[in-house]
Amino acid sequence: MNLANKITMIRVFLIPFFLICLLMTFPGSRLLALAIFIVASLTDALDGYVARHYEMVTNFGKFVDPLADKLLVASALIAFVGLSYLPSWIVIVILAREFAISGLRTIAVEAGVVIAASIWGKLKTISQMLLIVLVLLLPYLPTSFANLATVFSYIVVLVTVLSGADYMYKAKDLLKWR
């Protein structure tokens, strides 16, 4: 396993620690969860940089990197619903998009087509991670930021839907009934 893939695996390894800190209520647990989430999120940029810069791109990495992102974000968002930090409909829309695009990518692989990450996909991931950070920070911010978090969550849903639509449009030929 090369360095880029090891960095990706660190992100996966951090997920249970993030969830434990998020769901437990010991002093400083939420701030620790925030710190772990930020470190895990930064590994996303780092593993991609290392893979491209040092020519360490592998099929394993192509599969596990986006999966690690989905696991990290989905874990946080599902926990947020359980903690009543976010409404369930927001998480359902985000997860539905993830399942749909994962299915689309599977169809593409079977057809021998590579669907590269688009700018919309990158914006989607970044906006979702920023939303999670914002939600984790809310208790430490003035109450007026609660409205900002609500507005930003709607923006994240919009970006998520647009990124899904972008992928579907680009792969429309794969989706034709035969």
Side-chain angles (χ1 to χ4, degrees):
M1 184 176 298
N2 67 32
L3 177 61
N5 292 339
K6 288 177 182 175
I7 294 169
T8 300
M9 294 310 296
I10 288 170
R11 186 160 62 259
V12 174
F13 177 76
L14 289 174
I15 294 169
F17 296 101
F18 162 72
L19 288 172
I20 289 168
C21 293
L22 178 62
L23 299 173
M24 302 293 285
T25 55
F26 57 86
S29 62
R30 191 173 179 135
L31 287 174
L32 187 54
L34 174 62
I36 292 169
F37 184 82
I38 289 171
V39 169
S41 296
L42 291 174
T43 66
D44 184 30
L46 182 60
D47 64 10
Y49 171 79
V50 169
R52 287 184 298 279
H53 190 269
Y54 296 102
E55 298 180 9
M56 294 182 179
V57 176
T58 65
N59 287 334
F60 177 82
K62 289 177 190 177
F63 172 74
V64 175
D65 179 61
L67 180 61
D69 293 341
K70 288 171 183 41
L71 289 172
L72 178 63
V73 169
S75 296
L77 295 176
I78 291 168
F80 285 178
V81 170
L83 293 167
S84 299
Y85 294 167
L86 279 178
S88 59
W89 73 267
I90 289 174
V91 177
I92 291 167
V93 169
I94 290 170
L95 294 180
R97 182 262 183 217
E98 297 305 332
F99 284 119
I101 300 308
S102 293
L104 178 65
R105 286 182 185 272
T106 301
I107 292 168
V109 166
E110 291 175 0
V113 176
V114 174
I115 299 177
S118 74
I119 187 66
W120 283 105
K122 293 177 190 312
L123 287 173
K124 180 259 327 170
T125 300
I126 292 167
S127 69
Q128 289 173 359
M129 289 179 173
L130 288 174
L131 175 63
I132 292 165
V133 169
L134 179 59
V135 169
L136 289 170
L137 281 173
L138 276 178
Y140 309 102
L141 299 172
T143 54
S144 59
F145 277 82
N147 291 335
L148 174 66
T150 300
V151 170
F152 191 64
S153 67
Y154 296 149
I155 293 169
V156 169
V157 168
L158 179 63
V159 171
T160 298
V161 170
L162 288 174
S163 75
D166 179 58
Y167 280 108
M168 292 291 185
Y169 178 76
K170 288 177 180 173
K172 64 185 177 295
D173 293 339
L174 291 172
L175 300 173
K176 289 183 180 176
W177 293 98
R178 298 187 192 246

